[in-house]
Amino acid sequence: MGSVSTNDGDPASPPSQQLTAVAPDLDATAETDVVAAGPKGRKPRSEHNTGLLFGLAAYGLWGILPLYFAILEPAGPLEIVANRVVWSLLFCVLLMTAMRSWRPFKAALVDKRTLGTLSLAAALIAVNWLTYTVAVLSERTVEASLGYFINPLISVLLGVLILKERLRRAQWVALAVAFIAVLVLAFGYGNVPWLSLVLAFSFGFYGLVKKNVGTKVDAVSSLSVETLVLTPLAGAVMAVLMVQGQATLLDNGPGHFWLMAAGGLITALPLLFFGAAARRLPLSMVGMLQYLAPLIQFIIALAVFNEPMPLERWIGFGLIWLSLIILTTDMFASYRKLPQPVAA
C-alpha cells in the first residue's frame, strides 16, 4: 500500500504499492530496483522474463494453496496453521544458515520497535492464515478468493480512514461499486460474507503494519521473526491437540507427516519467488500479477470443489471485478504521469 494522492490533481503512488497486499510480505516490493540497463531505464529482456516467471510461480503457488489444504485432511484448521508456523520457522532457520544472513534477523530482534511491529504483524497474519484455512476446509473457497479480490480496495479504504489520505473521484467510485457488491453478496449468501471481509481486513492491516517496517527487514528475516513470535502459541496448540488425541501429524503415516511438514516450504518459497520477481519487474506488473492468485482460487472452487455459484454471487463478483478495473485503470493513468527512471 503506497500513499494515495492528496488531491485530485496530484498523482498517486505506483499501482503495485497499493495493490500488492495479496503477497504475504509487502516489504519485498520495496526491494524493487530501478537501475536502468538500457534506454528509458528498461531492464534487459532476459531479466524481465526471469522476473515474470518468478512472479507467475509465486502467485501460482498461492493460488493452488486450497488444493494443498484439501489433501491434509483429516487435519483441522488449528493443527494446519500451528504446523505451518513451526515448519516455516524451521525452513527459515535453514535458509538463513545456508545464505549466512542471520545479521538482519538478529538486528530485528534487538530493535524493540521493529520487534513490536513484526509481533503485531504476526498476530494479523495468524488471523489471516487461520481464517483462510477455515474457509477452504469448510468448502467456502469462493469466499476466500473474494477476500483477496477485495483486499486492494480495503488497502485504499484504510489509507483514507487511518492515514487520512484523499482519493481521486475514480477511486471513490471504485469503493462505492465495491460496497454495492458486498450488499449484493450479503443478499446472495443470506448474511454478510464475514470470512471474505476478515481475510481482506486482516491482510489490509497486515500491510499497513508492515509499511512501518519499510526496508529495514528483508523478506526472509521478517517471516522468521513473525513465525518465531507465533511459535510458542503454535507449539502449545500442537501439544494440546496431541494430549486430546486430536492431532494427526504422527498418526496418519509418513506421507501425511511430510505433507504437513511441507507447510514450511509452501509458506516461504512463494515469498522468495515474489521477492525475486519484485526486483526484476516494473511495479505496475507486480501489481497486476496479484490478481492471479484469487482468480486461480476462484476457478479451483468452482471446477474442483464444485462450490455453488448462484446468479446473485456472479453479480456480486462482477461488481467487485468492475471496481478493480476502475481502480487499476485510474492507478495506471496516474502512474504514467510520474517521472520515469532514467539511465544512470
Side-chain angles (χ1 to χ4, degrees):
M1 297 179 304
S3 59
V4 189
S5 63
T6 56
N7 56 60
D8 287 346
D10 292 337
S13 296
S16 65
Q17 290 185 354
Q18 295 184 20
L19 298 181
T20 50
V22 148
D25 201 327
L26 302 185
D27 62 351
T29 58
E31 298 173 6
T32 307
D33 61 85
V34 292
V35 177
K40 299 183 180 179
R42 293 193 184 95
K43 293 273 189 178
R45 179 167 295 183
S46 59
E47 277 286 277
H48 181 278
N49 292 342
T50 300
L52 183 59
L53 289 175
F54 276 123
L56 291 173
Y59 285 107
L61 286 171
W62 285 320
I64 64 173
L65 203 55
L67 296 176
Y68 168 68
F69 290 152
I71 64 176
L72 293 180
E73 289 186 313
L78 276 176
E79 185 182 10
I80 290 175
V81 173
N83 274 271
R84 188 176 179 183
V85 168
V86 172
W87 294 110
S88 293
L89 178 61
L90 177 59
F91 179 81
C92 287
V93 167
L94 295 174
L95 188 62
M96 288 189 296
T97 301
M99 297 174 61
R100 299 180 181 178
S101 58
W102 281 88
R103 183 174 298 177
F105 171 73
K106 294 177 180 177
L109 288 178
V110 299
D111 186 322
K112 292 183 178 179
R113 181 170 181 175
T114 299
L115 179 59
T117 301
L118 291 178
S119 297
L120 179 56
L124 290 167
I125 202 61
V127 170
N128 185 271
W129 285 355
L130 183 60
T131 304
Y132 184 78
T133 308
V134 167
V136 173
L137 295 184
S138 60
E139 299 181 352
R140 299 166 74 178
T141 306
V142 166
E143 283 189 68
S145 70
L146 174 63
Y148 289 115
F149 277 125
I150 292 176
N151 181 253
L153 298 158
I154 296 300
S155 297
V156 174
L157 180 63
L158 291 178
V160 175
L161 297 179
I162 296 178
L163 302 180
K164 306 302 180 184
E165 296 171 343
R166 297 178 62 187
L167 304 183
R168 294 180 299 277
R169 187 174 303 163
Q171 293 169 316
W172 280 116
V173 170
L175 289 177
V177 172
F179 178 75
I180 295 172
V182 171
L183 294 180
V184 171
L185 289 165
F187 173 78
Y189 283 106
N191 53 59
V192 176
W194 291 113
L195 278 175
S196 303
L197 294 177
V198 170
L199 282 171
F201 273 98
S202 62
F203 220 97
F205 276 106
Y206 177 75
L208 188 67
V209 170
K210 292 295 287 289
K211 179 181 174 70
N212 292 326
V213 177
T215 59
K216 291 188 292 185
V217 185
D218 64 89
V220 176
S221 298
S222 177
L223 180 64
S224 300
V225 172
E226 291 168 30
T227 51
L228 177 63
V229 169
L230 294 173
T231 293
L233 179 58
V237 169
M238 292 172 66
V240 170
L241 290 175
M242 287 181 180
V243 169
Q244 294 179 344
Q246 298 178 13
T248 67
L249 180 66
L250 302 176
D251 298 335
N252 285 67
H256 181 74
F257 173 86
W258 288 113
L259 280 173
M260 293 284 280
L265 181 64
I266 290 170
T267 298
L269 195 59
L271 173 63
L272 298 178
F273 286 163
F274 175 77
R279 287 192 293 272
R280 292 171 170 86
L281 293 177
L283 289 171
S284 55
M285 182 167 290
V286 174
M288 288 302 297
L289 283 175
Q290 70 153 338
Y291 296 122
L292 180 63
L295 180 60
I296 294 174
Q297 294 165 12
F298 180 75
I299 293 172
I300 288 174
L302 299 185
V304 180
F305 299 155
N306 296 313
E307 294 188 16
M309 195 68 183
L311 178 61
E312 56 269 22
R313 294 187 190 176
W314 279 112
I315 295 173
F317 268 80
L319 289 171
I320 287 293
W321 294 331
L322 174 61
S323 69
L324 289 174
I325 290 171
I326 295 171
L327 184 68
T328 305
T329 302
D330 175 75
M331 288 181 178
F332 272 122
S334 176
Y335 183 46
R336 283 196 296 266
K337 297 177 183 178
L338 293 175
Q340 297 301 310
V342 296

